[in-house]
Structure formats: C-alpha cells, structure tokens
Amino acid sequence: MKHNYQLELDKIIESLGDNRRLLLHSCCAPCSSYVLEYLTEYFDITVYYYNPNITSCDEYKKRIDEERRLIGLFKTSRPVKFIAGEYEPERFYELARGREELAEGGARCFDCYRLRLDRTARYMSEHLGMYDYFATTLTLSPHKNAEKLNEIGFEVAAKYGVNYLPSDFKKREGYKRSIELSRIYGLYRQDYCGCEYSRRAREAAVREER
C-alpha cells in the first residue's frame, strides 16, 4: 500500500516547534518555486543544488544562475539561502554505464535519485547543528516516483544519522502552481529531466509527434 507522504509532512509541520531549518535539495528553479512558496511558511531554507546528471557544465551553471535569480526575486516570510554543489558528471555516468538504453523512470533513474539524496544527506551530516531536516524538490514532478524518492530519503537519512522530511509536492496542485510561478517569474525550464538520456527520449517523442 502506498504512503500518503503529504499527510506525513502535514503531521511533521504541526509538531515542528523550533526545529525549522531545512536543507532543500533542488533539481531546478521551476520545481523549487512552489516548494519555496509552500515551505518558507514553516522553515528557514537553504537550497542545495547538486545534480551531476545534468548534460553539460554550461547547462549546470545556467540552472544554478536561474535558481539564484528566483531566490533573489521571491518574497518569502522566512529567509532562503543557496549553496551550489560541485558538478560531478563522472559520478552519474559511472552509475549509468551499461544501462544507457533503459527507459526513463527505471533502475538508472532510481540510482540517480540515490546519488543526489545521498550527497544531500551527507552534506547535512558534515554540518551537524545547522539543519533540522533535509528534503528534495524532486517529488514535485509527475514524472518522478515519489514512493521511491521517499524510500531512498529515509534510507540515506538513517545512513548518516540525520532527519528526512517526507513529501509529495505534486499533491494539492503543486506541479500546476510551479508552472504558474515559472510563467510569472519567466523561469528557464527544460522539457526533460536534465540527463542526456532523458533529453534523447524527449527529442524522439517530439519527432514522433510531428
């Protein structure tokens, strides 16, 4: 039976007390837009950008710049800080080796989730006392497996001895709101996840539609 991670998040928010410092892994500005709008009501947030799956260094920098721009424009009730993680594409290609032709949403993607969430949890463990929870914007996308993301989130949290904040941000029309906010702020957004395999799949789908 699937969990309702939105309800789990609601319960945590209701019992927060003073534990309100969140390290938020972000995949891109469009996805973080709704999450920041929602969670800054409850948390002081540090956005942590770490995505070694991105196709090129230029694309990586472009997404970082857009994340910074959004944070600068956004009017939030609580502070938002930003940390740019290193671009380490070799780590992604190592896990993808031999699975390049797998369809999106399978084992390669799950390991990519793990790579990013593991690094976020590790960063939190290296800065003990600075954050109370970590979370990820990845659960906003209808193309991402929220059940798997939360499973991995709890797993790496236990590995590093930190607290994971469960989520399913696409609930309550979160994805729809992210599209609205992207339009309002003129955010740069791609129609693929970020890796070259998702880009190829999207390009193939566009060719078939013509």
Side-chain angles (χ1 to χ4, degrees), residues 184-206:
I184 291 169
Y185 290 98
L187 297 179
Y188 166 71
R189 62 185 299 140
Q190 284 286 3
D191 57 0
Y192 65 96
C193 167
C195 75
E196 68 171 277
Y197 312 116
S198 62
R199 183 184 63 187
R200 289 179 196 171
R202 179 56 186 159
E203 289 172 349
V206 170

Side-chain angles (χ1 to χ4, degrees), residues 131-188:
Y131 310 106
D132 300 302
Y133 297 91
F134 79 93
T136 179
T137 64
L138 286 167
T139 66
L140 177 81
S141 171
H143 305 295
K144 299 291 188 293
N145 187 320
E147 189 77 20
K148 194 66 177 179
L149 280 162
N150 283 286
E151 176 187 317
I152 292 169
F154 282 117
E155 183 181 316
V156 298
K159 174 182 174 181
Y160 290 104
V162 296
N163 295 320
Y164 172 69
L165 189 72
S167 68
D168 192 351
F169 292 123
K170 66 178 139 311
K171 299 289 189 181
R172 299 175 184 169
E173 298 194 327
Y175 181 68
K176 179 181 177 182
R177 179 58 177 162
S178 75
I179 294 173
E180 293 172 352
L181 289 168
S182 294
R183 190 178 302 115
I184 291 169
Y185 290 98
L187 297 179
Y188 166 71

Side-chain angles (χ1 to χ4, degrees), residues 35 38 46 59-60 73 80 106 127 152 155 159 176 196 201:
V35 180
Y38 172 29
T46 298
E59 178 72 11
Y60 199 80
L73 290 171
V80 178
H127 299 81
I152 292 169
E155 183 181 316
K159 174 182 174 181
K176 179 181 177 182
E196 68 171 277

Side-chain angles (χ1 to χ4, degrees), residues 23 48 50 86 88 91 115-128 134 156-157 159-160 162:
L23 183 66
Y48 182 61
Y50 178 74
E86 292 182 52
E88 300 176 321
R91 299 196 65 197
L115 177 61
R116 291 184 273 178
L117 292 183
D118 186 276
R119 186 65 189 89
T120 306
R122 193 177 94 191
Y123 184 91
M124 182 174 170
S125 74
E126 292 168 347
H127 299 81
L128 284 177
F134 79 93
V156 298
K159 174 182 174 181
Y160 290 104
V162 296

Side-chain angles (χ1 to χ4, degrees), residues 44-106:
D44 298 340
I45 296 178
T46 298
V47 173
Y48 182 61
Y49 186 88
Y50 178 74
N51 299 286
N53 58 309
I54 301 301
T55 52
S56 69
C57 187
D58 286 344
E59 178 72 11
Y60 199 80
K61 290 177 180 176
K62 191 169 185 176
R63 294 191 184 205
I64 282 177
D65 288 344
E66 196 68 348
E67 189 80 56
R68 284 195 173 111
R69 187 174 75 86
L70 173 66
I71 291 170
L73 290 171
F74 234 34
K75 306 301 181 186
T76 56
S77 57
R78 290 175 173 269
V80 178
K81 299 177 182 178
F82 180 75
I83 296 170
E86 292 182 52
Y87 181 48
E88 300 176 321
E90 67 281 358
R91 299 196 65 197
F92 171 72
Y93 284 112
E94 182 180 354
L95 73 84
R97 188 176 300 119
R99 299 186 289 178
E100 294 86 352
E101 303 305 319
L102 290 180
E104 287 296 298

